[in-house]
PDB file of all heavy atoms in Angstrom:
ATOM      1  N   ARG A  50       7.638  63.131 -55.166  1.00  0.00           N
ATOM      2  CA  ARG A  50       7.942  62.313 -53.985  1.00  0.00           C
ATOM      3  C   ARG A  50       6.767  61.350 -53.843  1.00  0.00           C
ATOM      4  O   ARG A  50       6.688  60.411 -54.624  1.00  0.00           O
ATOM      5  CB  ARG A  50       8.133  63.215 -52.763  1.00  0.00           C
ATOM      6  CG  ARG A  50       9.447  63.978 -52.850  1.00  0.00           C
ATOM      7  CD  ARG A  50       9.652  64.893 -51.676  1.00  0.00           C
ATOM      8  NE  ARG A  50       9.562  64.183 -50.394  1.00  0.00           N
ATOM      9  CZ  ARG A  50       9.936  64.699 -49.237  1.00  0.00           C
ATOM     10  NH1 ARG A  50      10.444  65.912 -49.200  1.00  0.00           N
ATOM     11  NH2 ARG A  50       9.813  64.012 -48.120  1.00  0.00           N
ATOM     12  N   SER A  51       5.820  61.650 -52.926  1.00  0.00           N
ATOM     13  CA  SER A  51       4.693  60.713 -52.769  1.00  0.00           C
ATOM     14  C   SER A  51       3.481  61.083 -53.624  1.00  0.00           C
ATOM     15  O   SER A  51       2.476  60.375 -53.604  1.00  0.00           O
ATOM     16  CB  SER A  51       4.268  60.642 -51.306  1.00  0.00           C
ATOM     17  OG  SER A  51       5.259  60.000 -50.558  1.00  0.00           O
ATOM     18  N   ARG A  70      11.222  59.451 -59.116  1.00  0.00           N
ATOM     19  CA  ARG A  70      10.687  59.373 -57.767  1.00  0.00           C
ATOM     20  C   ARG A  70      11.821  59.864 -56.853  1.00  0.00           C
ATOM     21  O   ARG A  70      12.844  59.166 -56.700  1.00  0.00           O
ATOM     22  CB  ARG A  70      10.310  57.921 -57.491  1.00  0.00           C
ATOM     23  CG  ARG A  70       9.842  57.510 -56.092  1.00  0.00           C
ATOM     24  CD  ARG A  70       9.252  58.561 -55.264  1.00  0.00           C
ATOM     25  NE  ARG A  70       8.545  57.990 -54.122  1.00  0.00           N
ATOM     26  CZ  ARG A  70       8.629  58.498 -52.897  1.00  0.00           C
ATOM     27  NH1 ARG A  70       9.387  59.563 -52.658  1.00  0.00           N
ATOM     28  NH2 ARG A  70       7.943  57.965 -51.935  1.00  0.00           N
ATOM     29  N   ALA A  71      11.661  61.079 -56.331  1.00  0.00           N
ATOM     30  CA  ALA A  71      12.680  61.632 -55.437  1.00  0.00           C
ATOM     31  C   ALA A  71      12.546  60.948 -54.080  1.00  0.00           C
ATOM     32  O   ALA A  71      12.078  61.521 -53.107  1.00  0.00           O
ATOM     33  CB  ALA A  71      12.523  63.140 -55.321  1.00  0.00           C
ATOM     34  N   GLY A  72      12.931  59.688 -54.063  1.00  0.00           N
ATOM     35  CA  GLY A  72      12.793  58.845 -52.883  1.00  0.00           C
ATOM     36  C   GLY A  72      13.018  57.410 -53.325  1.00  0.00           C
ATOM     37  O   GLY A  72      13.570  57.175 -54.412  1.00  0.00           O
ATOM     38  N   ALA A  73      12.545  56.478 -52.518  1.00  0.00           N
ATOM     39  CA  ALA A  73      12.829  55.075 -52.825  1.00  0.00           C
ATOM     40  C   ALA A  73      11.661  54.361 -53.517  1.00  0.00           C
ATOM     41  O   ALA A  73      11.773  53.913 -54.656  1.00  0.00           O
ATOM     42  CB  ALA A  73      13.211  54.354 -51.546  1.00  0.00           C
ATOM     43  N   GLY A  74      10.505  54.286 -52.835  1.00  0.00           N
ATOM     44  CA  GLY A  74       9.393  53.464 -53.348  1.00  0.00           C
ATOM     45  C   GLY A  74       8.678  54.105 -54.531  1.00  0.00           C
ATOM     46  O   GLY A  74       8.280  55.261 -54.450  1.00  0.00           O
ATOM     47  N   ASN A  97      17.728  58.011 -48.679  1.00  0.00           N
ATOM     48  CA  ASN A  97      17.078  58.399 -47.424  1.00  0.00           C
ATOM     49  C   ASN A  97      17.068  57.256 -46.395  1.00  0.00           C
ATOM     50  O   ASN A  97      16.336  57.303 -45.416  1.00  0.00           O
ATOM     51  CB  ASN A  97      15.657  58.932 -47.687  1.00  0.00           C
ATOM     52  CG  ASN A  97      14.814  57.965 -48.503  1.00  0.00           C
ATOM     53  OD1 ASN A  97      14.988  56.768 -48.407  1.00  0.00           O
ATOM     54  ND2 ASN A  97      13.891  58.496 -49.291  1.00  0.00           N
ATOM     55  N   ALA A 228       7.738  51.199 -43.737  1.00  0.00           N
ATOM     56  CA  ALA A 228       7.894  50.867 -45.159  1.00  0.00           C
ATOM     57  C   ALA A 228       6.653  51.282 -45.958  1.00  0.00           C
ATOM     58  O   ALA A 228       6.567  52.436 -46.401  1.00  0.00           O
ATOM     59  CB  ALA A 228       8.189  49.387 -45.294  1.00  0.00           C
ATOM     60  N   ARG A 229       5.722  50.360 -46.114  1.00  0.00           N
ATOM     61  CA  ARG A 229       4.502  50.677 -46.856  1.00  0.00           C
ATOM     62  C   ARG A 229       3.310  50.060 -46.139  1.00  0.00           C
ATOM     63  O   ARG A 229       3.369  48.918 -45.670  1.00  0.00           O
ATOM     64  CB  ARG A 229       4.582  50.124 -48.288  1.00  0.00           C
ATOM     65  CG  ARG A 229       5.499  50.917 -49.211  1.00  0.00           C
ATOM     66  CD  ARG A 229       4.951  52.306 -49.484  1.00  0.00           C
ATOM     67  NE  ARG A 229       5.794  53.103 -50.360  1.00  0.00           N
ATOM     68  CZ  ARG A 229       6.680  54.008 -49.938  1.00  0.00           C
ATOM     69  NH1 ARG A 229       6.864  54.213 -48.643  1.00  0.00           N
ATOM     70  NH2 ARG A 229       7.386  54.714 -50.801  1.00  0.00           N
ATOM     71  N   HIS A 280       4.190  59.919 -41.964  1.00  0.00           N
ATOM     72  CA  HIS A 280       5.035  59.491 -43.091  1.00  0.00           C
ATOM     73  C   HIS A 280       6.233  60.446 -43.249  1.00  0.00           C
ATOM     74  O   HIS A 280       6.414  61.093 -44.276  1.00  0.00           O
ATOM     75  CB  HIS A 280       4.235  59.411 -44.409  1.00  0.00           C
ATOM     76  CG  HIS A 280       4.935  58.597 -45.468  1.00  0.00           C
ATOM     77  ND1 HIS A 280       4.295  57.955 -46.486  1.00  0.00           N
ATOM     78  CD2 HIS A 280       6.252  58.322 -45.669  1.00  0.00           C
ATOM     79  CE1 HIS A 280       5.163  57.331 -47.260  1.00  0.00           C
ATOM     80  NE2 HIS A 280       6.372  57.543 -46.777  1.00  0.00           N
ATOM     81  N   ALA A 283      11.514  59.706 -44.403  1.00  0.00           N
ATOM     82  CA  ALA A 283      12.571  60.241 -45.275  1.00  0.00           C
ATOM     83  C   ALA A 283      12.769  61.738 -45.087  1.00  0.00           C
ATOM     84  O   ALA A 283      13.619  62.335 -45.750  1.00  0.00           O
ATOM     85  CB  ALA A 283      12.199  59.957 -46.726  1.00  0.00           C
ATOM     86  N   SER A 284      11.975  62.322 -44.194  1.00  0.00           N
ATOM     87  CA  SER A 284      11.935  63.784 -44.166  1.00  0.00           C
ATOM     88  C   SER A 284      12.882  64.415 -43.148  1.00  0.00           C
ATOM     89  O   SER A 284      12.457  65.128 -42.253  1.00  0.00           O
ATOM     90  CB  SER A 284      10.498  64.237 -43.918  1.00  0.00           C
ATOM     91  OG  SER A 284       9.682  63.770 -44.960  1.00  0.00           O
TER      92      SER A 284
HETATM   93  C1  3PG B   1      10.299  56.779 -49.942  1.00  0.00           C
HETATM   94  O1  3PG B   1       9.778  55.869 -50.599  1.00  0.00           O
HETATM   95  O2  3PG B   1      11.382  57.290 -50.285  1.00  0.00           O
HETATM   96  C2  3PG B   1       9.665  57.239 -48.661  1.00  0.00           C
HETATM   97  O3  3PG B   1       8.442  56.630 -48.444  1.00  0.00           O
HETATM   98  C3  3PG B   1       9.583  58.744 -48.557  1.00  0.00           C
HETATM   99  O4  3PG B   1       8.420  59.304 -49.044  1.00  0.00           O
HETATM  100  P1  3PG B   1       8.317  60.915 -49.191  1.00  0.00           P
HETATM  101  O5  3PG B   1       9.339  61.320 -50.193  1.00  0.00           O
HETATM  102  O6  3PG B   1       6.925  61.169 -49.656  1.00  0.00           O
HETATM  103  O7  3PG B   1       8.598  61.507 -47.866  1.00  0.00           O
END
Side-chain angles (χ1 to χ4, degrees):
R50 288 179 55 167
S51 291
R70 174 25 165 137
N97 53 31
R229 285 293 180 263
H280 197 154
S284 299

